[in-house]
Amino acid sequence: VYDFLDRLYNPEVGALHHYYRADTAYLSEMDSGNYLMALNYLVAYDRYQDEAMLHKAANCFQWAYDHCTESHPMFTWQGGVRDGFKSHELYVKYTGDAFWACLALYRRTRDDRYLFYIRQFHNFMKQARRAGFMYKYDTRTYQWTDTGFCWRAFGYPVTAYLELFEITGDARYREHALAWGEHGLTLQAPNGAFYLLDGQFWNSDL
């Protein structure tokens, strides 16, 4: 798996192509998937202690931040991560990927710049909660929604906030985790499953 992953890494750009389609030999462009894929490099780093893996993880994170994340300090949706197909849509799920990767990199490097990024991702999650636990923000209409092509992936803020609480000891982050978790339980169907795409499709991306 690691060998395949590394073949998708573009050293000139410092990021991973999101996927490879073998039947057409198609190599996709880079997108916010670099946040999530950076965690694969960190798994390899933890196992083999190869500093090159940590370096590539940091590169993937930085590329995704620079190209896929809303960072303007005047926007209330600061910290939101854009969809690869509709750049005006910012998602809790993709921001959760970024939050996770950022926390993992901070754990391993103690580089304070990741704390700045963490505060931005927290801002977006906070705004989503304030809107009523919404999962997608449209920068054209300035509206929050949780329908359409949209993962209601409540587990991302739950786990990110728990990790942040462990790192900082700040009880406010534990409260955020509990609030998102309690909200998530309201989405559970009578059969115990979570149909998180418009209430129709079972989704493992909690």
Side-chain angles (χ1 to χ4, degrees):
V1 172
Y2 163 70
D3 288 341
F4 173 74
L5 176 75
D6 209 37
R7 285 199 297 271
L8 299 183
Y9 184 79
N10 186 324
E12 295 181 2
V13 177
L16 283 158
H17 295 272
H18 196 141
Y19 66 91
Y20 174 74
R21 179 169 174 172
D23 60 340
T24 60
Y26 172 73
L27 191 62
S28 77
E29 297 298 322
M30 291 85 165
D31 59 19
S32 66
N34 270 273
Y35 279 132
L36 191 58
M37 293 184 290
L39 293 172
N40 292 297
Y41 277 129
L42 292 179
V43 170
Y45 168 72
D46 289 347
R47 179 165 184 175
Y48 302 112
Q49 292 299 298
D50 183 348
E51 290 290 330
M53 302 299 98
L54 181 61
H55 179 69
K56 288 179 179 179
N59 285 348
C60 289
F61 174 91
Q62 196 62 51
W63 186 94
Y65 179 83
D66 292 341
H67 294 85
C68 305
T69 308
E70 184 53 70
S71 59
H72 196 292
M74 296 294 290
F75 293 161
T76 58
W77 54 90
Q78 178 186 174
V81 176
R82 290 186 286 272
D83 176 56
F85 298 101
K86 297 180 179 180
S87 61
H88 58 280
E89 293 182 347
L90 309 175
Y91 283 78
V92 164
K93 180 193 182 301
Y94 301 143
T95 306
D97 292 341
F99 212 155
W100 277 358
C102 197
L103 289 162
L105 283 163
Y106 179 72
R107 280 267 195 195
R108 289 156 179 80
T109 67
R110 296 296 168 174
D111 187 331
D112 285 347
R113 67 192 171 105
Y114 292 119
L115 293 177
F116 172 74
Y117 301 144
I118 285 168
R119 287 193 290 270
Q120 290 185 312
F121 302 140
H122 163 55
N123 173 74
F124 187 73
M125 296 293 191
K126 185 171 61 176
Q127 298 299 330
R129 176 183 175 181
R130 183 176 296 169
F133 297 101
M134 294 287 111
Y135 289 89
K136 180 173 64 177
Y137 185 78
D138 192 318
T139 60
R140 296 186 307 184
T141 64
Y142 308 112
Q143 298 293 317
W144 284 93
T145 62
D146 66 348
T147 58
F149 184 69
C150 178
W151 289 273
R152 292 188 288 172
F154 63 88
Y156 285 72
V158 169
T159 52
Y161 278 126
L162 287 175
E163 179 79 0
L164 187 54
F165 168 64
E166 287 188 4
I167 289 173
T168 65
D170 190 330
R172 291 176 299 173
Y173 299 129
R174 180 175 58 189
E175 190 277 330
H176 278 291
L178 289 170
W180 277 97
E182 290 168 359
H183 155 71
L185 291 176
T186 69
L187 305 178
Q188 191 169 26
N191 66 357
F194 289 90
Y195 298 94
L196 302 181
L197 289 168
D198 282 346
Q200 299 181 46
F201 301 100
W202 179 83
N203 189 1
S204 61
D205 266 328
L206 299 182

